[in-house]
Amino acid sequence: MRKDMAKVVTEAPRRGHANPSSKWGRRLTKDEYSLDDHGASRGPTSRHRQYGWNAKEFSDVLGPLRRYLRKQVGRPWDKVWSEITHTLDSRSLTGLHIFEHIRWEVEQEAWIGDDGRLYHKRRWGAIELVSGLFVHPLNRLLCCKPERRWASRGRAFLNAQVALRVFGIPSSTAQDLRRYRVDGLRVWEHREGGWFIHTYRHVPEQLVRVITRSDGHDVPIYGSPHYERAATKQASKKEIRDAQTLLRRDPLAGTGTDK
């Protein structure tokens, strides 16, 4: 660990440090002496009440500390802790502050449950350790559990999802999307080993009801335009042959989503 780690982490300029204090004092006027409530004689002392979002705040630079801990992964935690204690002075305020950050970054009291999973304790109970640095309970080595990465939805996935939502078809997974092919006002659906064709028609804006206000005026309420299913039939062999180009096309090709 570098010798000036405490200085690097804690002595960066704090945001809002240059704001002058707005505290002020004033004397009560003669007219205010006899009043029961003459208001505040001094301004607020809290910096958050003085400056709001621009008040002075902590600006700890934790990047160097986190990089150092990541580089120690695989080493015995007792040796790493010995190096830290020889560099930082826990009797000083800055050193004590760094030790608090280390306890937040590294879980030192994790254990393996009966189900083989790694757990750690929190105020509301024991929970599974999902990611981050921890000391292995068996060999006392510093380990790192990587964060879970979720696959992002590609543009083709979102476009296909929107195209089906227009016809009122919900689709949340790639498997649902690949069941359908959109061809104008016809939607092909693959189910039960065959292809079915749903034909839709456009329903324009229509008058639903009229509300009479208290002043006697009538207010018309219109329904939004939408598509409704007009007919559904199973596709014939000839229709499937003619639509081979459409049916072989993958709506999610090249998006990187799960298949």
Side-chain angles (χ1 to χ4, degrees):
M1 175 178 284
R2 53 188 299 175
K3 300 293 186 180
D4 58 345
M5 180 65 74
K7 181 178 180 180
V8 170
V9 173
T10 60
E11 295 191 8
R14 297 170 63 181
R15 185 176 65 82
H17 69 281
N19 294 336
S21 176
S22 298
K23 291 184 291 185
W24 52 274
R26 69 182 181 88
R27 295 179 179 274
L28 298 180
T29 62
K30 295 182 179 180
D31 298 335
E32 293 176 324
Y33 284 140
S34 59
L35 296 179
D36 294 334
D37 184 12
H38 47 66
S41 60
R42 290 179 176 83
T45 59
S46 172
R47 297 187 67 88
H48 283 279
R49 291 185 60 188
Q50 293 182 44
Y51 306 106
W53 64 270
N54 199 28
K56 185 188 298 184
E57 295 181 356
F58 287 109
S59 58
D60 292 344
V61 181
L62 300 178
L65 178 62
R66 288 171 176 168
R67 287 193 296 270
Y68 166 77
L69 293 174
R70 292 297 190 279
K71 290 180 180 179
Q72 309 308 313
V73 172
R75 295 186 58 199
W77 174 246
D78 294 338
K79 293 184 177 180
V80 177
W81 185 257
S82 178
E83 294 178 2
I84 295 175
T85 54
H86 277 79
T87 305
L88 300 176
D89 186 4
S90 60
R91 297 171 297 178
S92 63
L93 182 61
T94 57
L96 184 61
H97 188 65
I98 302 299
F99 278 108
E100 292 179 355
H101 280 297
I102 294 175
R103 293 186 180 95
W104 274 104
E105 294 291 332
V106 182
E107 178 56 52
Q108 304 180 34
E109 298 179 357
W111 71 90
I112 300 176
D114 297 335
D115 54 357
R117 298 180 179 179
L118 199 65
Y119 290 89
H120 61 148
K121 186 178 294 185
R122 286 294 180 262
R123 290 182 298 177
W124 50 87
I127 61 175
E128 183 181 359
L129 196 150
V130 178
S131 62
L133 296 173
F134 66 95
V135 179
H136 199 280
L138 299 181
N139 52 25
R140 298 292 297 171
L141 296 179
L142 181 61
C143 304
C144 180
K145 196 171 184 181
E147 297 181 358
R148 296 176 180 175
R149 296 187 177 273
W150 305 96
S152 60
R153 299 301 189 186
R155 183 176 296 275
F157 181 95
L158 298 178
N159 292 339
Q161 194 176 43
V162 171
L164 292 178
R165 193 182 299 126
V166 170
F167 298 102
I169 302 176
S171 54
S172 58
T173 64
Q175 184 178 2
D176 295 337
L177 291 176
R178 287 192 171 92
R179 287 175 49 203
Y180 298 95
R181 301 293 187 275
V182 178
D183 180 19
L185 294 180
R186 299 197 308 172
V187 179
W188 293 66
E189 180 186 4
H190 187 268
R191 69 175 189 223
E192 300 174 0
W195 285 96
F196 291 80
I197 304 176
H198 307 291
T199 304
Y200 288 81
R201 65 182 178 186
H202 181 262
V203 179
E205 186 181 77
Q206 295 179 350
L207 179 64
V208 177
R209 58 176 175 169
V210 178
I211 300 177
T212 303
R213 299 190 312 189
S214 59
D215 56 0
H217 290 80
D218 295 335
V219 179
I221 304 298
Y222 293 92
S224 59
H226 61 279
Y227 290 91
E228 67 177 11
R229 187 183 302 180
T232 298
K233 71 168 187 176
Q234 186 172 4
S236 63
K237 294 182 179 179
K238 182 179 183 302
E239 289 174 328
I240 294 177
R241 285 197 304 267
D242 295 340
Q244 281 297 318
T245 304
L246 173 67
L247 301 181
R248 290 176 179 174
R249 185 188 311 157
D250 187 0
L252 304 182
T255 62
T257 55
D258 50 334
K259 297 184 178 180

